[in-house]
Amino acid sequence: MPVQAENIHFVCFDADDTLWKNEAFYRHSEARFARLLAAQMPQQRAIDELFQTEMNNLPTFGYGAKSFMLSMLQTALAFLPEQQAGPAAKEILQIGKELIQHPVELLPGVRLTLEKLAGKYHLSVVTKGDLLDQERKLKKSGLLPLFNHVEIVSDKTPAAYRALFVRLGAKPQEVLMVGNSLKSDIFPALEAGAQAAYMPCACNWKHEESEEPENPPYFKIAALPDLLAVLL
């Protein structure tokens, strides 16, 4: 890839772990859940059982905190004795509620970066997950006025990106997709014809893990402010 992007007019940003912290809070909730099953199984097995339940539930519940909470409930009910199931369910509902209501913590330099790009590029948020939860986080972030467009999709696929480009009135090659997930943000956007900037995150959900190619066809940045060198 060249050092600087060319002919970009539209910049699309993933939200969770690109604009604000997210996955670390899920891992904390996951550890709390595992402690509820400590008498039945080791922590890692509880986490693995929860992950398998999440994968099975994706076609029905989709992504997001509510889906995560339902999968915790289902997993707990499958393994806990009946007398423990009720108290555990109450605790899981509390874990889920705290996750959903967690304050939004912006990643370093996000606001300043967006402020420098606003007006020079058409800026969009492109995120997946629960509609209400993602809208809440975006509103609480204080970043909403900096964006020209918000897109919350059930999943990020090449077809979803192509449909987005049509709605934006953008040629695919004029779009730069910025995100922390190769699987959801980078590879499908590239397949749809866009350019991409990958910002790795130290804490990733297992479902989003992908191997990097040897000669990546995308920009790689350590933090969002590094995007300025790519675009300005």
Side-chain angles (χ1 to χ4, degrees):
M1 291 291 289
V3 176
Q4 196 169 36
E6 298 179 353
N7 302 317
I8 295 295
H9 301 292
F10 300 81
V11 185
C12 299
F13 295 86
D14 172 53
D16 295 333
D17 294 310
T18 298
L19 302 178
W20 50 68
K21 296 179 183 179
N22 180 69
E23 194 59 32
F25 308 139
Y26 276 80
R27 300 288 72 80
H28 176 70
S29 300
E30 188 178 72
R32 289 176 63 186
F33 165 79
R35 286 196 289 272
L36 294 174
L37 275 67
Q40 277 68 42
M41 62 187 70
Q43 181 186 54
Q44 189 56 53
R45 185 188 166 195
I47 290 172
D48 291 343
E49 292 287 354
L50 173 58
F51 177 74
Q52 188 57 56
T53 303
E54 289 182 273
M55 294 302 96
N56 293 339
N57 284 338
L58 274 181
T60 303
F61 298 147
Y63 297 90
K66 292 176 185 174
S67 174
F68 179 66
M69 182 167 58
L70 289 170
S71 291
M72 283 193 290
L73 284 169
Q74 182 177 334
T75 307
L77 293 174
F79 290 100
L80 287 175
E82 186 174 342
Q83 65 272 21
Q84 296 179 24
K90 290 181 181 179
E91 179 64 20
I92 288 170
L93 289 172
Q94 183 61 32
I95 292 171
K97 186 176 292 186
E98 290 177 13
L99 179 62
I100 292 170
Q101 295 175 342
H102 198 285
V104 175
E105 298 181 24
L106 296 182
L107 291 171
V110 165
R111 183 183 299 278
L112 182 60
T113 301
L114 293 175
E115 288 174 345
K116 289 185 176 182
L117 295 176
K120 298 180 178 67
Y121 295 91
H122 183 285
L123 304 183
S124 298
V125 175
V126 184
T127 185
K128 67 182 180 183
D130 179 76
L131 177 64
L132 185 62
D133 190 33
Q134 295 301 86
E135 287 180 337
R136 176 196 63 81
K137 286 190 282 190
L138 187 55
K139 182 178 180 180
K140 287 192 173 184
S141 73
L143 300 176
L144 188 57
L146 297 171
F147 291 103
N148 305 99
H149 181 79
V150 175
E151 190 92 4
I152 301 173
V153 297
S154 59
D155 202 0
K156 291 178 176 177
T157 63
Y161 281 109
R162 292 188 191 100
L164 168 65
F165 303 157
V166 171
R167 285 190 287 276
L168 293 178
K171 297 177 182 178
Q173 62 269 24
E174 298 176 331
V175 180
L176 181 73
M177 179 65 200
V178 184
N180 69 290
S181 170
L182 289 171
K183 183 176 180 179
S184 293
D185 303 320
I186 306 304
F187 292 153
L190 291 172
E191 187 175 336
Q195 300 183 55
Y198 173 47
M199 189 180 81
C201 176
C203 184
N204 284 316
W205 186 29
K206 183 179 178 180
H207 179 60
E208 294 291 346
E209 292 177 354
S210 293
E211 290 189 13
E212 286 195 70
E214 290 187 9
N215 298 301
Y218 49 77
F219 299 95
K220 189 172 181 179
I221 57 177
L224 209 66
D226 296 341
L227 191 64
L228 297 176
V230 174
L231 289 171
L232 299 180

